[in-house]
Amino acid sequence: MAAESTLITVAPTGAEADKAAVPALPVTLTELVVTAKECEAAGAAVIHVHIRDEAARPTLDRGRLADTVAALREGTGLIVQLSTGGAVTDSFADRLAVLDAGPDACSLTCGTVNFGDEVFANPWPFIKDLYQLTQERQVVPEFELFDLGHVATLHRLLGQFGPPAGGHVHCDLVMGVPGGMPGDVATLAAAVAALPPGATWAATGIGRTTLPVLFAALAAGGHLRVGMEDTLSFARGRPVGRNAELVERASELARIAQRPPMSPADARLFLGIPDRRA
Ligand code: KMH
Ligand code: ZN
């Protein structure tokens, strides 16, 4: 059954794009909060957050992460989902320590994947440590699935350790990474068919798979993730100028599909995430 509204997540920054090459990328806390406000107004309900240091390099600095969670909570009603994937160079210990910042939610990638010329490492012992920590801290995980094998690992994780904090399994199919599953309709359908019963899902297509995956996800009753983490091109020869224009486009297409954007308040109920703002 298709949901009646569409949960839109914005992933505005990522760990890979270079600020010098992409001046529109939000990297400071001020830029991030401005972006978050614009994206909330445009229809986003969740923000997937990677932060940068003073030189715009990716960082998992604990103080900066805590300040970011606080600033986003103060400035927006968005669900704050911190990335535990970080950059491919981040240690497992630093990635686990992301939860110390007390976010609403976090990403949890269910397997290792080739990532362009690099490897995004998520071995089973790390996955299960991170999952158990989310349960202990009551941080709601979003299961990031870059490949069909990751779906099998999700089943293994739930079978061994039980349901996540919040009680609801929500996944994000990350498609079109060079090394992961391709961003096409057949692969999306196969991944969705393999999800655990009752799980909900969003999809995002990296780079030029952005639009095919967006259309396929809407047609299949799924939810959406968009943002400059996933694509820097709005259309052929036309760079993304602001994250909000990707959210605006997703919202408009969701409305056309008769499944308008879900509000942050409804998204909290949907995902089982309490509002931690004072
Ligand atoms: N930056 C990638 C290596 C996540 O945020 O959890 C990992 C990533 C996934 O972006
Ligand atoms: Zn990410």
Side-chain angles (χ1 to χ4, degrees):
M1 266 264 294
E4 286 176 3
S5 57
T6 304
L7 175 68
I8 299 178
T9 297
V10 63
T13 308
E16 285 76 32
D18 178 14
K19 175 74 170 175
V22 188
L25 196 73
V27 296
T28 67
L29 186 50
T30 305
E31 287 170 345
L32 184 63
V33 172
V34 168
T35 297
K37 287 180 176 172
E38 288 176 1
C39 291
E40 183 177 17
V46 178
I47 184 164
H48 169 83
V49 180
H50 291 255
I51 61 165
R52 302 292 179 99
D53 66 13
E54 62 290 332
R57 290 172 305 222
T59 178
L60 293 180
D61 179 84
R62 293 169 205 193
R64 275 180 187 265
L65 282 170
D67 290 347
T68 302
V69 171
L72 289 170
R73 280 204 183 122
E74 195 185 316
T76 77
L78 293 170
I79 292 169
V80 181
Q81 180 196 91
L82 291 184
S83 166
T84 64
V88 291
T89 44
D90 285 317
S91 70
F92 296 133
D94 285 345
R95 290 170 57 191
L96 289 171
V98 165
L99 297 199
D100 293 348
D104 297 314
C106 69
S107 56
L108 191 161
T109 299
C110 291
T112 293
V113 63
N114 283 311
F115 196 81
D117 293 345
E118 323 270 6
V119 173
F120 177 31
N122 295 282
W124 173 249
F126 171 70
I127 293 170
K128 68 186 176 72
D129 285 354
L130 177 56
Y131 187 55
Q132 289 175 287
L133 197 59
T134 63
Q135 290 174 314
E136 199 182 299
R137 303 277 180 91
Q138 290 295 293
V139 174
V140 174
E142 176 182 273
F143 301 99
E144 309 295 326
L145 308 170
F146 287 67
D147 217 338
L148 291 178
H150 295 191
V151 185
T153 297
L154 172 60
H155 282 270
R156 181 181 180 198
L157 196 61
L158 298 173
Q160 211 161 317
F161 298 103
H168 177 69
V169 175
H170 183 70
C171 307
D172 182 38
L173 307 176
V174 185
M175 311 187 76
V177 168
M181 61 182 157
D184 58 38
V185 174
T187 307
L188 183 136
V192 170
L195 293 178
T200 55
W201 59 278
T204 185
I206 304 302
R208 65 186 53 180
T209 69
T210 293
L211 283 171
V213 168
L214 188 155
F215 286 121
L218 277 178
H223 301 276
L224 304 175
R225 179 175 115 169
V226 295
M228 293 176 76
E229 174 167 347
D230 298 342
T231 185
L232 296 169
S233 167
F234 190 82
R236 197 163 298 168
R238 212 292 242 152
V240 175
R242 296 153 42 242
N243 276 282
E245 64 187 358
L246 294 170
V247 177
E248 283 156 7
R249 179 170 69 181
S251 294
E252 185 54 23
L253 292 170
R255 275 189 285 269
I256 289 169
Q258 304 287 294
R259 290 178 46 222
M262 194 182 286
S263 69
D266 285 349
R268 285 184 188 280
L269 294 174
F270 177 70
L271 297 169
I273 298 178
D275 192 342
R276 298 185 193 208
R277 285 173 300 164

